[in-house]
Amino acid sequence: MAYEEAKKRFRGSISPVITPFNEDESIDFNKFKELINWHIEKGSHGISVTGTSGEPSSMSVDERMTVMETACKTVNGRVPFIPGTGSTNHDETMRMTKAAQEMGADGALVIVPYYNKPNQHALYKHFKTVADSVDIPIILYNIPGRTAVNLEADTIARLAEDCENIIGVKEANKDFEHVNKVLLKAGRDFNLYSGIEVLCYPMLAIGGAGHISATANVAPTEVADLYNKWEVGDVKGAQDLHYSLMPLNDVLFRDTNPAPAKAALGMMGKIKPVLRKPLDVPSEAVQAEIRETLKAYKLL
């Protein structure tokens, strides 16, 4: 029953909050807490950290867990808190997912291991072992553009069947046929989240539970309202927001995420636009485009 309740609670715009750094690349925890409070005040339905937008592969495991703990305390139960706990290393994934449960997180977002390119049976064993080790809801995270392997719909369905606490999947997958098959095979009560900005609205239309969109880092209210309008049956309003957000979505992916989002947040005065190596700030041309887009959206 608890997992069925989680499926109902974990809906809407779950903001994948960036990790702000100081000039020396240390974590700026004060700005981090300010960002989380800002997201909640602006209407985000949930908070996630240490996912792709949070640069987790540039942090140590201990740093990631400190970021998670800080976020958990800052959220303080106001909205669901679902940190990213996945890694290319199975033991690290187990450690961070167990830590998420111990610190009081509402769930965990677990990415397909990157670089290793496991086959489907290996992916099943990895995720089942992780899910069986905790009692909190698990959202799978399928992002083949980053991991070089796709978590197939049949594998997702098998995991959903065998692991009661695997309640959904974030699909950062441009293959719209695939995401339709996920709900067909895993069941339409399985929580499907868009991780592709231009597919946030289409995924709601096929029965999705919401989105975990990097654009929420810059425009949390609008990204949350896309879900809100759909939820109350304002189809025209949701469609209008979908098209209105497209230029902003585009410019925020002119370079590798989260570099453009951090540049935008720097221009907005929210953070210092520092990324950890090997990432770096976008080119001057891209930054100029970001600035003009933010002006057009009245974000500057």
Side-chain angles (χ1 to χ4, degrees):
M1 181 60 70
Y3 300 127
E4 291 303 316
E5 286 301 314
K7 286 182 180 180
K8 295 174 184 176
R9 286 187 64 226
F10 296 4
R11 299 183 69 85
S13 174
I14 300 170
S15 288
V17 181
I18 60 99
T19 306
F21 297 120
N22 295 302
E23 294 292 349
D24 63 358
E25 297 187 16
S26 62
I27 299 165
D28 188 338
F29 285 103
N30 288 330
K31 289 296 183 185
F32 184 55
K33 289 183 278 190
E34 288 175 11
L35 281 177
I36 290 170
N37 286 326
W38 179 64
H39 275 280
I40 295 172
E41 289 162 8
K42 291 296 182 179
S44 295
H45 304 101
I47 296 292
S48 185
V49 300
T50 58
T52 303
S53 297
E55 299 173 72
S57 61
S58 298
M59 297 185 209
S60 69
V61 172
D62 287 342
E63 282 181 314
R64 286 183 65 173
M65 291 204 287
T66 302
V67 167
M68 288 160 53
E69 288 170 356
T70 302
C72 191
K73 290 176 182 175
T74 305
V75 173
N76 194 28
R78 288 177 288 171
V79 296
F81 172 58
I82 309 164
T85 61
S87 166
T88 193
N89 181 294
H90 177 78
D91 288 343
E92 288 180 359
T93 302
M94 293 282 285
R95 180 182 167 192
M96 288 186 285
T97 307
K98 289 177 180 178
Q101 174 170 294
E102 290 166 4
M103 69 182 63
D106 296 288
L109 178 69
V110 186
I111 195 170
V112 169
Y114 36 92
Y115 186 77
N116 292 325
K117 297 181 71 174
N119 63 32
Q120 296 300 305
H121 180 64
L123 288 170
Y124 172 84
K125 288 174 65 178
H126 169 72
F127 283 115
K128 188 174 190 306
T129 305
V130 173
D132 286 348
S133 73
V134 293
D135 296 320
I136 56 174
I138 299 293
I139 298 172
L140 309 171
Y141 182 8
N142 188 28
I143 180 168
R146 294 261 190 171
T147 63
V149 63
N150 186 49
L151 185 62
E152 300 292 346
D154 285 334
T155 306
I156 294 171
R158 186 181 173 203
L159 286 164
E161 175 69 24
D162 295 348
C163 304
E164 185 184 14
N165 60 331
I166 293 182
I167 67 164
V169 62
K170 175 185 176 181
E171 282 285 355
N173 194 330
K174 293 182 178 180
D175 184 347
F176 201 57
E177 181 179 356
H178 163 83
V179 298
N180 278 266
K181 287 181 178 178
V182 168
L183 285 186
L184 176 67
K185 295 184 176 186
R188 288 169 61 186
D189 64 338
F190 194 67
N191 280 26
L192 173 70
Y193 305 90
S194 178
I196 297 289
E197 279 58 34
V198 76
L199 294 183
C200 290
Y201 172 74
M203 283 204 200
L204 291 174
I206 65 169
H211 29 265
I212 306 174
S213 165
T215 301
N217 276 296
V218 176
T221 299
E222 291 78 4
V223 175
D225 279 349
L226 178 62
Y227 176 83
N228 293 336
K229 290 180 182 300
W230 175 262
E231 184 68 5
V232 299
D234 182 4
V235 174
K236 175 65 162 54
Q239 289 175 339
D240 289 346
L241 254 181
H242 166 69
Y243 287 106
S244 173
L245 284 166
M246 284 179 68
L248 182 59
N249 293 335
D250 287 345
V251 81
L252 291 178
F253 284 86
R254 287 285 189 266
D255 199 341
T256 301
N257 179 47
K262 281 195 157 183
L265 287 168
M267 295 170 195
M268 294 165 65
K270 296 290 184 185
I271 63 166
K272 299 180 183 73
V274 178
L275 294 102
R276 277 196 175 171
K277 299 176 185 66
L279 294 179
D280 202 356
V281 296
S283 68
E284 290 184 10
V286 169
Q287 290 194 53
E289 188 178 359
I290 292 169
R291 186 174 289 104
E292 290 307 307
T293 304
L294 294 179
K295 289 178 181 176
Y297 281 85
K298 296 183 171 53
L299 295 171
L300 287 186

